[in-house]
Amino acid sequence: MNALQLITKKQAGNELTPDEISYLVRGYVNGDIPDYQMSAFLMAAYYQEMSPEETYQLTKIMLESGERVNTSSIPGIKVDKHSTGGVGDKVSIVLAPLIACVGLYVPMISGRALGHSGGTLDKLESIPGINTNLSVDEAVKQLSKIGAVFMAQTEELVPADKKMYALRDATSTVKSIPLITASILSKKIAEGIDGLVLDVKVGKGAFYSRQQYALKLANSLINVSEKFGLKTSVLFTAMDQPLGKAVGNWLEIKESIDTLRGNGPKDFVDVVLALGSEMLVQTKQEKTYEEALKRLSIKLQSGEAYKKLLEIVKSQGGKTKFIENPGNYPESQRKIVVRSERSGYISTIDALQIGTLAMDVGAGRHKMTDEVDLKAGVMLNKKVGDYVERGEELATIMTDRQIEVTEINTRVWNAIEVTKLKVLPPNPLLGYAVKDGSCRWPPF
Amino acid sequence: MNALQLITKKQAGNELTPDEISYLVRGYVNGDIPDYQMSAFLMAAYYQEMSPEETYQLTKIMLESGERVNTSSIPGIKVDKHSTGGVGDKVSIVLAPLIACVGLYVPMISGRALGHSGGTLDKLESIPGINTNLSVDEAVKQLSKIGAVFMAQTEELVPADKKMYALRDATSTVKSIPLITASILSKKIAEGIDGLVLDVKVGKGAFYSRQQYALKLANSLINVSEKFGLKTSVLFTAMDQPLGKAVGNWLEIKESIDTLRGNGPKDFVDVVLALGSEMLVQTKQEKTYEEALKRLSIKLQSGEAYKKLLEIVKSQGGKTKFIENPGNYPESQRKIVVRSERSGYISTIDALQIGTLAMDVGAGRHKMTDEVDLKAGVMLNKKVGDYVERGEELATIMTDRQIEVTEINTRVWNAIEVTKLKVLPPNPLLGYAVKDGSCRWPPF
């Protein structure tokens, strides 16, 4: 067996055996197989795909490349959520404390921003002092005590994914359903959880803009999870407009605080509660979705989840004074208000364009080595379905960069469509994946 | 512009601009673009192919990566031949001295054996003392004086191809028509020739076993050559059975000597004369193919071409005593005669199986670092269409390796089919490529 033979086999569309997948992944991780052969293999896999069995084996072998979090010392149920990423997606920051409040344990391992998509780690790091680089031991200790932890992937967990993801990112082979499946699930299974809820975004600002691929991805994720005995649900949520109104790291933390204080934007609250309710039903904390929804709504409104966030941030060394008084946070040098050129209903707020604008004003990264301006971003004043008067504020851009006001105006105007016809606010909850590979509508 | 964008563009099936191709190839040659990005690009190009314009640009940029042989000091016409490779293909060794005899100049740059295919350089190196690692100056000097030179690719000529070919070889991206086209033609154009005849093999032992791909390759080669103003003809020749009867380095040199002394196997002589005659017609040395054929047959029979080979070998330091007395050459430790199990007509001699057997007994390489046993190989006693008696010799295997006689017998029997029905010797000349992408039959 050698790497060239395995590349050729996949290139011709044939299925690799478990031994062959193991040979490739282990060889790559230990350096016997060079980057250039792995990237050729990944590109062949991009075109030829991998069978459910191959995807399962790949996940298993990637998982075995590292340690697993030992959560056996924690007597309760461990759950997590993963999202395929989008613009303004700050769900984790509200969901983790909320779920911890009902007695479940949430070991939340997150990633960083790249391209038009934000990253939960960057958002959290806008809170001064916070440390997300926890060791597995530290994380388990906090999880056991507080019920939730926010952390970066460590060196010990799934090193195969770390190495392969960096290569995929540099060779345009991220967008492959079997590779995404193995990458997500190997990390989640390594967390030692009992239940998983996946938020697969669909729309212009999502990884997959077409429903067809989102369904295929969901099916692949459920398939492989089941083989590991991990309960997994997939919800499809909309990513045509940004989620909520804030896009940018600190701006999103502020919106998360507002939400935890009972003042969140409706679409964002709906997504948080839907994912959370699914977690409670999945782990048999509640019998029905309606009961779970009711329980979580109360925890959100009562301020209990807010207090849990303070507890988590404090435990990880973050300065809670900015959580308690977000107004004291340093502001961007420039605040550019973009006003509507006409009156009417907002029919589109293009998530991809807004996400890219937020990145360009400093909130994101073009490449992994770029530095992020944590306070920069876009605050929307309107959402799809809202009415706007001519001259009324559409959005405000926070930045320290010297970008022309005319460019910013044009980009916001291009991203936001205003029509004379009445537009209803869209439901961000699109459906949930059913085992047979279809999607049930409406789920809620 | 960055490499990732260009990978993504090709991955989606889009055409790259000349600037983009240049950015990739130059960046790769100077080390700015890493192997792993180039191999991902090559695999994407394998699946998405490249347009004729992209293929031309790729050839041009690869060509510009190095020096070109300056043959302007030689007043005559410079021609060359290239073959896509096969089993028992020793055409260059006879063709170069033959063509030099009619006053044309043949700067023959050749490669090494890999897999079941032989390489002209290895064959030549079975002649003790011969040096094929000539500098461009040395080669031009010999070319000018003798009319032909056998040499390896130098560091100065098309370094982009050298680097890219090694990567393609390790990543299963050799078999791509645009990449093959650019690789062959950049090297041939760098030779400073006026005319080129390409021998595209078709059949079980050829790079392309199916006619459809051979036609496509021929069309791509002619298309790009024309844009450089290089006269190019493509002949399709059969590679179902080995060419001639000898497979193995020294064995093929011996068969070439026999041929130059007027005793060559018919199929081999036919292919040599066809390619040579096409050269003479192409460069207007003769008006008709028939006249050219007649002229070359005389040069071959008269021993003039044989003397030219001696001259070339001597000029490059080779010991001509083995050319003059091939019987003095050291022999393999083992000579295993394989006899027919039945009487009948030979209907198949599988070139791929015979080529692989020759490689396994020492004549070839599994990988580029393997050492070659120059005296090892397979001597066929019969060709397709011959009658064989039960117990009569089919082939003799020369080797120093301890391979079981039963294994060798079985492999030869599996490769050679004997039938009761009369079989006619097949014509190895299949046709020649016509500009519109078709093939004319029969051409001769």
Side-chain angles (χ1 to χ4, degrees):
Chain A
M1 200 187 309
N2 66 51
L4 180 58
Q5 285 166 350
L6 303 184
I7 296 168
T8 310
K9 192 170 176 184
K10 178 47 66 192
Q11 184 183 37
N14 297 312
E15 193 168 337
L16 301 194
T17 66
D19 281 353
E20 289 171 336
I21 295 172
S22 172
Y23 177 89
L24 262 181
V25 174
R26 283 169 208 261
Y28 181 58
V29 172
N30 71 28
D32 288 344
I33 293 173
D35 283 336
Y36 59 83
Q37 286 190 316
M38 193 54 162
S39 69
F41 175 81
L42 292 170
M43 187 60 87
Y46 172 90
Y47 283 106
Q48 297 288 6
E49 306 199 3
M50 296 176 95
S51 71
E53 178 60 21
E54 280 177 298
T55 309
Y56 163 66
Q57 292 295 343
L58 178 63
T59 310
K60 187 162 165 278
I61 290 151
M62 285 170 64
L63 176 64
E64 287 165 359
S65 73
E67 304 293 315
R68 290 167 79 149
V69 179
N70 187 347
T71 51
S72 59
S73 61
I74 302 168
I77 294 163
K78 280 73 73 177
V79 290
D80 198 5
K81 179 228 63 158
H82 180 85
S83 149
T84 57
V87 179
D89 180 3
K90 65 229 47 143
V91 169
S92 299
I93 294 151
V94 174
L95 188 63
L98 180 60
I99 294 301
C101 285
V102 300
L104 299 182
Y105 295 85
V106 191
M108 184 77 75
I109 299 182
S110 304
R112 299 198 175 275
L114 192 61
H116 72 277
S117 268
T120 298
L121 278 189
D122 295 305
K123 291 172 196 180
L124 286 164
E125 286 176 1
S126 72
I127 303 168
I130 203 164
N131 174 26
T132 55
N133 289 316
L134 304 180
S135 71
V136 168
D137 282 352
E138 290 170 325
V140 171
K141 211 172 145 192
Q142 176 175 325
L143 187 62
S144 172
K145 203 174 135 203
I146 302 178
V149 62
F150 290 118
M151 63 184 291
Q153 205 190 328
T154 72
E155 291 293 332
E156 299 88 44
L157 299 176
V158 203
D161 180 66
K162 209 161 186 169
K163 195 168 176 184
M164 284 169 70
Y165 194 89
L167 185 65
R168 286 166 60 206
D169 192 45
T171 57
S172 193
T173 48
V174 168
K175 223 167 181 169
S176 151
I177 285 172
L179 301 180
I180 296 168
T181 302
S183 174
I184 293 176
L185 291 181
S186 60
K187 283 180 291 187
K188 289 298 161 186
I189 293 162
E191 283 181 359
I193 51 175
D194 307 298
L196 177 62
V197 175
L198 295 162
D199 178 10
V200 173
K201 306 280 188 193
V202 187
K204 279 177 201 160
F207 192 68
Y208 284 117
S209 55
R210 287 166 62 189
Q211 222 190 76
Q212 170 197 358
Y213 291 109
L215 277 171
K216 225 175 140 181
L217 175 61
N219 201 32
S220 174
L221 288 162
I222 291 174
N223 233 311
V224 173
S225 282
E226 267 190 356
K227 290 191 179 163
F228 285 99
L230 175 63
K231 278 185 212 157
T232 299
S233 315
V234 177
L235 299 196
F236 300 107
T237 70
M239 189 35 70
D240 290 305
Q241 65 174 331
L243 192 60
K245 289 182 167 178
V247 182
N249 299 289
W250 169 251
L251 300 175
E252 295 190 41
I253 292 290
K254 218 166 63 178
E255 189 167 69
S256 300
I257 298 166
D258 290 343
T259 304
L260 286 161
R261 284 172 172 172
N263 300 313
K266 187 176 183 315
D267 65 334
F268 175 52
V269 173
D270 284 351
V271 170
V272 168
L273 292 178
L275 292 164
S277 301
E278 181 58 34
M279 278 181 172
L280 298 201
V281 174
Q282 186 190 62
T283 57
K284 301 198 182 358
Q285 303 301 298
E286 295 289 349
K287 274 191 188 141
T288 67
Y289 181 79
E290 287 70 24
E291 285 168 316
L293 198 63
K294 202 174 153 191
R295 185 163 162 194
L296 291 180
S297 300
I298 291 167
K299 296 275 180 203
L300 201 61
Q301 289 299 325
S302 69
E304 214 181 317
Y306 169 69
K307 279 179 202 142
K308 185 59 79 178
L309 179 70
L310 285 177
E311 219 181 323
I312 300 166
V313 169
K314 204 174 166 187
S315 168
Q316 296 190 212
K319 290 188 181 154
T320 51
K321 66 171 181 176
F322 291 110
I323 309 284
E324 287 159 319
N325 295 296
N328 293 343
Y329 201 80
E331 288 195 346
S332 290
Q333 287 162 26
R334 301 173 71 205
K335 279 180 138 184
I336 301 145
V337 178
V338 181
R339 297 179 184 283
S340 184
E341 290 182 296
R342 60 182 69 85
S343 302
Y345 291 91
I346 310 284
S347 61
T348 302
I349 303 179
D350 187 305
L352 180 58
Q353 290 185 47
I354 296 293
T356 309
L357 176 60
M359 171 175 68
D360 292 343
V361 302
R365 290 185 184 85
H366 283 273
K367 51 182 196 296
M368 277 319 284
T369 47
D370 289 348
E371 204 152 313
V372 168
D373 175 359
L374 295 168
K375 52 192 192 318
V378 177
M379 272 306 299
L380 299 171
N381 192 42
K382 299 283 175 182
K383 293 281 292 180
V384 172
D386 285 350
Y387 186 81
V388 65
E389 294 281 0
R390 183 166 185 269
E392 198 187 345
E393 179 186 338
L394 281 174
T396 300
I397 279 71
M398 280 73 165
T399 186
D400 288 353
R401 296 194 180 168
Q402 292 312 311
I403 303 167
E404 294 283 344
V405 171
T406 50
E407 189 199 324
I408 286 177
N409 275 323
T410 308
R411 287 178 68 173
V412 172
W413 290 331
N414 282 341
I416 301 182
E417 271 176 36
V418 178
T419 66
K420 285 290 162 201
L421 288 169
K422 182 155 173 63
V423 175
L424 289 175
N427 183 354
L429 308 174
L430 302 178
Y432 63 93
V434 183
K435 264 192 195 177
D436 62 5
S438 69
C439 174
R440 202 156 295 163
W441 317 79
F444 308 107
Chain B
M1 199 185 310
N2 67 50
L4 180 58
Q5 286 165 351
L6 303 184
I7 296 169
T8 309
K9 192 171 176 182
K10 180 44 70 191
Q11 186 183 35
N14 297 313
E15 194 168 337
L16 301 193
T17 66
D19 281 352
E20 288 170 336
I21 295 172
S22 171
Y23 176 88
L24 261 181
V25 174
R26 283 171 208 260
Y28 181 58
V29 172
N30 71 27
D32 288 343
I33 293 173
D35 283 337
Y36 58 84
Q37 285 191 317
M38 193 54 159
S39 69
F41 175 82
L42 293 169
M43 187 60 84
Y46 172 89
Y47 284 105
Q48 297 288 5
E49 305 200 3
M50 295 176 94
S51 71
E53 177 60 22
E54 279 178 298
T55 309
Y56 163 66
Q57 291 295 342
L58 178 64
T59 310
K60 187 162 166 277
I61 290 152
M62 284 170 64
L63 176 64
E64 287 166 359
S65 74
E67 303 293 313
R68 292 168 78 148
V69 179
N70 187 347
T71 51
S72 60
S73 61
I74 302 166
I77 294 164
K78 279 75 70 176
V79 290
D80 198 5
K81 179 226 62 153
H82 180 85
S83 151
T84 56
V87 179
D89 180 3
K90 63 226 57 137
V91 169
S92 299
I93 295 152
V94 175
L95 189 64
L98 180 61
I99 294 301
C101 285
V102 300
L104 299 183
Y105 295 85
V106 192
M108 185 77 74
I109 299 182
S110 303
R112 298 199 177 275
L114 192 61
H116 72 275
S117 268
T120 298
L121 278 189
D122 294 306
K123 292 171 195 179
L124 286 163
E125 286 177 1
S126 72
I127 303 167
I130 202 164
N131 174 25
T132 56
N133 289 314
L134 304 180
S135 70
V136 168
D137 282 353
E138 290 169 326
V140 171
K141 210 172 147 194
Q142 177 176 323
L143 188 62
S144 171
K145 201 174 139 205
I146 303 176
V149 62
F150 290 117
M151 65 185 291
Q153 204 190 330
T154 71
E155 292 292 332
E156 300 88 47
L157 299 175
V158 203
D161 181 65
K162 210 162 186 169
K163 194 168 178 185
M164 284 169 71
Y165 194 88
L167 186 64
R168 287 167 60 206
D169 193 43
T171 57
S172 191
T173 48
V174 168
K175 222 166 182 172
S176 150
I177 285 172
L179 300 180
I180 296 168
T181 302
S183 174
I184 293 176
L185 291 181
S186 60
K187 283 180 292 190
K188 289 297 160 188
I189 293 161
E191 282 180 358
I193 52 177
D194 307 298
L196 177 63
V197 175
L198 294 163
D199 177 10
V200 173
K201 305 279 188 196
V202 187
K204 280 178 200 158
F207 192 68
Y208 284 116
S209 56
R210 288 165 62 189
Q211 222 190 78
Q212 167 198 1
Y213 291 110
L215 278 171
K216 226 176 139 181
L217 174 61
N219 202 33
S220 174
L221 288 161
I222 291 174
N223 232 312
V224 173
S225 282
E226 267 190 354
K227 291 193 177 159
F228 285 99
L230 175 63
K231 279 185 211 159
T232 299
S233 314
V234 178
L235 300 196
F236 299 106
T237 71
M239 189 35 69
D240 289 306
Q241 65 174 329
L243 192 61
K245 289 181 168 180
V247 182
N249 299 288
W250 169 252
L251 299 176
E252 296 189 41
I253 292 292
K254 217 166 63 178
E255 189 166 70
S256 300
I257 298 166
D258 290 343
T259 304
L260 286 161
R261 284 170 173 172
N263 301 313
K266 186 176 183 315
D267 65 334
F268 175 53
V269 173
D270 284 351
V271 170
V272 168
L273 292 178
L275 292 164
S277 301
E278 181 59 35
M279 278 180 171
L280 298 200
V281 175
Q282 184 191 64
T283 57
K284 302 197 177 8
Q285 304 300 297
E286 293 290 349
K287 273 191 190 142
T288 67
Y289 180 81
E290 288 68 25
E291 286 168 317
L293 198 63
K294 201 172 155 191
R295 183 162 162 199
L296 291 180
S297 301
I298 292 165
K299 296 275 179 202
L300 201 59
Q301 291 297 326
S302 69
E304 210 180 318
Y306 169 70
K307 280 180 201 138
K308 185 55 81 179
L309 178 70
L310 285 176
E311 216 180 324
I312 299 167
V313 169
K314 203 174 167 187
S315 168
Q316 298 191 212
K319 290 185 180 158
T320 52
K321 67 171 181 177
F322 292 110
I323 309 284
E324 286 158 323
N325 296 296
N328 293 342
Y329 200 80
E331 289 194 346
S332 292
Q333 288 162 25
R334 302 173 70 203
K335 278 180 140 183
I336 301 146
V337 178
V338 181
R339 298 180 184 283
S340 185
E341 290 182 294
R342 60 182 68 84
S343 302
Y345 291 91
I346 309 282
S347 61
T348 302
I349 304 179
D350 187 305
L352 179 57
Q353 289 185 49
I354 296 293
T356 309
L357 177 60
M359 171 175 68
D360 292 343
V361 302
R365 289 183 185 87
H366 284 273
K367 50 183 197 293
M368 279 318 285
T369 48
D370 289 348
E371 204 152 313
V372 168
D373 175 0
L374 295 167
K375 53 193 193 316
V378 178
M379 271 307 299
L380 298 170
N381 191 44
K382 300 283 174 181
K383 293 281 291 179
V384 172
D386 285 351
Y387 187 81
V388 64
E389 293 282 359
R390 183 164 184 271
E392 197 186 347
E393 178 186 338
L394 281 174
T396 299
I397 280 70
M398 280 74 164
T399 185
D400 289 353
R401 296 194 180 168
Q402 291 314 310
I403 302 167
E404 294 283 343
V405 171
T406 49
E407 188 199 325
I408 286 176
N409 274 323
T410 308
R411 287 179 69 173
V412 172
W413 290 331
N414 283 340
I416 301 183
E417 272 175 36
V418 178
T419 66
K420 287 289 161 200
L421 289 169
K422 183 156 172 64
V423 175
L424 290 175
N427 185 352
L429 308 173
L430 303 179
Y432 62 93
V434 183
K435 263 194 198 176
D436 62 6
S438 69
C439 173
R440 201 158 293 164
W441 316 79
F444 308 108

